[in-house]
Amino acid sequence: MKIVLINSLNVEEDKLKQLQFELASLNHEFFYYLNPPISIEEYQNRIKDADVLIIDNIKTTGDVLKAAKKLKYLNVAFTGLDHVDLAYCKEHNITISNASGYSTEAVAELTIGLIISYLRNVLFFDKVSRDLKTKGNLLGEELENKVVGLFGFGKIARRVFELLKSFNVKILTYSHHKIKDLPKDVSQIDFNTLLNESDIISIHTPLNEETRGIFDYSSFKMMKKKPLIINTARGPIIDKDSLIRALKEDLISGAALDVYDKEPPLDSNDPLIAFSNLILLPHIGYFTKEAMIKRFEIIKDNLFNYINGETKNRVNVD
């Protein structure tokens, strides 16, 4: 088989060379690229003879995939798949695996960091210190006794819950379905209650037709406590125009965003940049040394299972 890795996955090249050696010993060709393609044409050229394609979060449309006429397996080094043309893969019988779980700790820790950074005005006071000034009368807030609403309760949200327990907070969660094995310290509630009662709302759910734009203007209008909104999941879960309106009308205290409608960088005229009560990050939630190592090991495991006739971490695209 010809196996193509479209970019380095942020691991050392020695690891890629070792994988190449292991695959050669099994009579498979392994081609890897250290940088992502800079055009659709380059992407198509890299994968045109591939039986197996390994990608991360690079946008992979049907127009790209049609160049890989032999492709049977797509090994996605990412959790979400909203960047992949799933309909094309289904139509052409391309099996898909993902790397679910590799960034659980990374995203959960960042979520806690964002909450505390916002409550304690860390970015503002960093600037104050660099400007050789002092704190003035701007008081921070403590996390203790806050009500934290988790939108979704998958692996990452569960880890956020575990980390939050030491802060003596009340935790609510909303999910479209009944949550199995719900910890006794968490209350599953409806969406309106989550909006009404939360001091902090943290989003931890995939992007799909049910969640796209669910945080719209009507949702922000229901937020009685003017909560802090944290989004480390997917940008389009929050309707951007509604968020901007909510910020202008003081419906929320602010937000910390790691994800947007498109991958960073932001446009120079993006209206989000003007708001001082936002923390804006360039999609770093998953991006730690430890997570990259975990991800590479999961992808390798997926690949060797596929070679041996099994499919691990298979994604159902029906």
Side-chain angles (χ1 to χ4, degrees), residues 234-250:
R234 287 294 181 270
I237 293 170
I238 299 176
D239 179 74
K240 183 176 179 179
D241 290 339
S242 298
L243 173 62
I244 292 168
R245 188 175 175 186
L247 289 163
K248 288 179 177 178
E249 296 180 12
D250 196 31

Side-chain angles (χ1 to χ4, degrees), residues 155-167:
K155 291 179 181 178
I156 293 174
R158 286 177 183 266
R159 182 58 181 147
V160 171
F161 157 70
E162 291 291 335
L163 295 173
L164 282 172
K165 286 197 295 186
S166 62
F167 289 95

Side-chain angles (χ1 to χ4, degrees), residues 32-96:
Y32 65 85
Y33 299 87
L34 298 180
N35 297 302
I38 61 174
S39 67
I40 291 177
E41 292 74 21
E42 184 180 355
Y43 196 168
Q44 291 172 326
N45 189 56
R46 288 184 184 184
I47 69 174
K48 61 184 179 181
D49 297 318
D51 300 285
V52 174
L53 175 60
I54 305 172
I55 66 171
D56 53 7
N57 63 334
I58 185 172
K59 191 167 184 61
T60 303
T61 64
D63 283 341
V64 170
L65 292 173
K66 69 183 181 182
K69 300 187 184 303
K70 297 167 58 180
L71 187 65
K72 291 299 178 186
Y73 183 53
L74 184 61
N75 194 359
V76 182
F78 219 61
T79 302
L81 295 171
D82 46 283
H83 60 294
V84 176
D85 192 331
L86 299 181
Y88 181 93
C89 292
K90 180 180 179 181
E91 181 182 351
H92 292 82
N93 297 312
I94 298 170
T95 301
I96 304 176

